[in-house]
């Protein structure tokens, strides 16, 4: 690599970094809800981006970076203790969410919209358990103990709630996917 090529690469990298790092961090943080994990993913993405800059033909740097962050967040979440159904919802949400929409949503707005929909369509027992899990951030085990229910009953009620909300509208799949990972 010549000196001029290196300088051009560095200028392009710095411009892309300055234009995208904050939005990428917010995107990763909104998915993972963990500052350190979000920072680590952004750092890894930009290291990889630097290494690949001359080797691959990237047409849209922003789209490429958002896709890379999305993929790394999905890998990270697979190691979280999500139920199989929660993970399925999240993966569907990742396919449906437009990068720009995710950045614009705030957790509070998403939670309120899902809460309203949940109150409209969920049976009382199902709603109570859903609220404890996603709004009071209780674990399945804690809910089972508090309600004197088996863990499988709590899991079934959560899955029932998610299926009912999912059946309503694709928009709610997006909201649920974000809500699940933000909990």
């Amino acid at each position: 690599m010549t000196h001029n090529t290196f300088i051009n690469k560095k200028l392009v990298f710095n411009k892309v970094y300055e234009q995208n790092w904050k939005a990428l961090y917010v995107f990763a943080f909104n998915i993972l809800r963990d500052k350190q994990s979000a920072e680590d993913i952004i750092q890894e993405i930009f290291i990889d981006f630097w290494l690949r800059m001359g080797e691959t033909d990237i047409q849209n740097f922003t789209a490429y970076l958002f896709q890379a962050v999305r993929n790394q967040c999905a890998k990270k979440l697979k190691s979280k203790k999500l139920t199989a159904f929660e993970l399925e919802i999240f993966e569907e949400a990742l396919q449906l969410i437009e990068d720009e929409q995710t950045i614009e949503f705030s957790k509070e707005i998403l939670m309120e919209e899902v809460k309203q929909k949940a109150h409209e369509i969920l049976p009382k027992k199902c709603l109570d358990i859903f609220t404890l899990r996603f709004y009071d951030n209780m674990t399945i085990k804690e809910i089972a103990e508090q309600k004197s229910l088996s863990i499988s009953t709590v899991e079934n009620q959560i899955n029932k709630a998610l299926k009912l909300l999912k059946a309503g509208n694709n928009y709610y799949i997006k909201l649920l996917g974000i809500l699940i990972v933000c909990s």
Side-chain angles (χ1 to χ4, degrees), residues 10-11 14 34 36 79 93-94 107 116 125 132 139 179:
K10 186 175 178 182
L11 290 172
N14 287 342
D34 177 7
Q36 189 61 51
S79 67
L94 282 181
K107 182 180 177 186
Q116 287 175 356
K125 180 180 178 182
L132 291 172
T139 65
L179 180 60

Side-chain angles (χ1 to χ4, degrees), residues 62-78:
T62 300
Y64 171 84
L65 292 168
F66 270 99
Q67 185 64 42
V69 170
R70 182 188 319 217
N71 292 342
Q72 291 304 313
C73 287
K75 284 181 189 176
K76 183 88 171 165
L77 285 171
K78 286 183 181 181

Side-chain angles (χ1 to χ4, degrees), residues 86-114:
E86 289 171 336
L87 191 55
E88 176 189 329
I89 292 283
F90 172 69
E91 288 174 352
E92 287 181 28
L94 282 181
Q95 293 172 4
L96 293 171
I97 295 170
E98 296 288 328
D99 299 333
E100 295 77 19
Q101 289 176 327
T102 305
I103 295 164
E104 292 172 13
F105 284 136
S106 75
K107 182 180 177 186
E108 293 75 27
I109 292 170
L110 294 174
M111 291 181 77
E112 188 56 38
E113 289 189 37
V114 173

Side-chain angles (χ1 to χ4, degrees), residues 12-29:
V12 170
F13 178 86
N14 287 342
K15 182 178 178 184
V16 171
Y17 179 85
E18 288 300 318
Q19 289 175 343
N20 292 286
W21 77 266
K22 186 175 183 179
L24 292 167
Y25 171 78
V26 169
F27 181 62
F29 181 78

Side-chain angles (χ1 to χ4, degrees), residues 7-179:
I7 291 173
N8 288 342
K9 180 179 177 181
K10 186 175 178 182
L11 290 172
V12 170
F13 178 86
N14 287 342
K15 182 178 178 184
V16 171
Y17 179 85
E18 288 300 318
Q19 289 175 343
N20 292 286
W21 77 266
K22 186 175 183 179
L24 292 167
Y25 171 78
V26 169
F27 181 62
F29 181 78
N30 281 336
I31 293 172
L32 300 173
R33 304 313 286 177
D34 177 7
K35 182 181 177 188
Q36 189 61 51
S37 294
E39 288 173 357
D40 290 347
I41 283 176
I42 300 310
Q43 181 177 1
E44 290 169 19
I45 295 302
F46 276 107
I47 289 170
D48 184 63
F49 176 65
W50 172 262
L51 295 173
R52 292 176 185 244
M53 272 181 72
E55 299 170 8
T56 56
D57 183 28
I58 303 168
Q59 301 296 317
N60 182 332
F61 293 128
T62 300
Y64 171 84
L65 292 168
F66 270 99
Q67 185 64 42
V69 170
R70 182 188 319 217
N71 292 342
Q72 291 304 313
C73 287
K75 284 181 189 176
K76 183 88 171 165
L77 285 171
K78 286 183 181 181
S79 67
K80 273 182 126 182
K81 295 191 184 211
L82 299 177
T83 67
F85 191 77
E86 289 171 336
L87 191 55
E88 176 189 329
I89 292 283
F90 172 69
E91 288 174 352
E92 287 181 28
L94 282 181
Q95 293 172 4
L96 293 171
I97 295 170
E98 296 288 328
D99 299 333
E100 295 77 19
Q101 289 176 327
T102 305
I103 295 164
E104 292 172 13
F105 284 136
S106 75
K107 182 180 177 186
E108 293 75 27
I109 292 170
L110 294 174
M111 291 181 77
E112 188 56 38
E113 289 189 37
V114 173
K115 185 183 247 182
Q116 287 175 356
K117 184 68 172 177
H119 281 331
E120 289 173 19
I121 67 172
L122 297 180
K124 182 168 178 18
K125 180 180 178 182
C126 194
L127 178 63
D128 288 344
I129 291 172
F130 179 81
T131 300
L132 291 172
R133 174 71 180 104
F134 295 107
Y135 292 94
D136 297 338
N137 293 319
M138 292 178 68
T139 65
I140 291 172
K141 184 178 179 186
E142 291 169 338
I143 296 168
E145 289 171 2
Q146 180 180 332
K147 295 284 189 182
S148 299
L149 299 169
S150 71
I151 288 175
S152 65
T153 299
V154 173
E155 287 176 341
N156 288 339
Q157 288 297 308
I158 290 169
N159 287 340
K160 178 180 178 180
L162 293 173
K163 285 178 185 173
L164 288 169
L165 288 165
K166 178 182 172 185
N169 185 325
N170 275 347
Y171 177 70
Y172 289 98
I173 295 172
K174 296 176 190 179
L175 296 178
L176 284 170
I178 295 170
L179 180 60

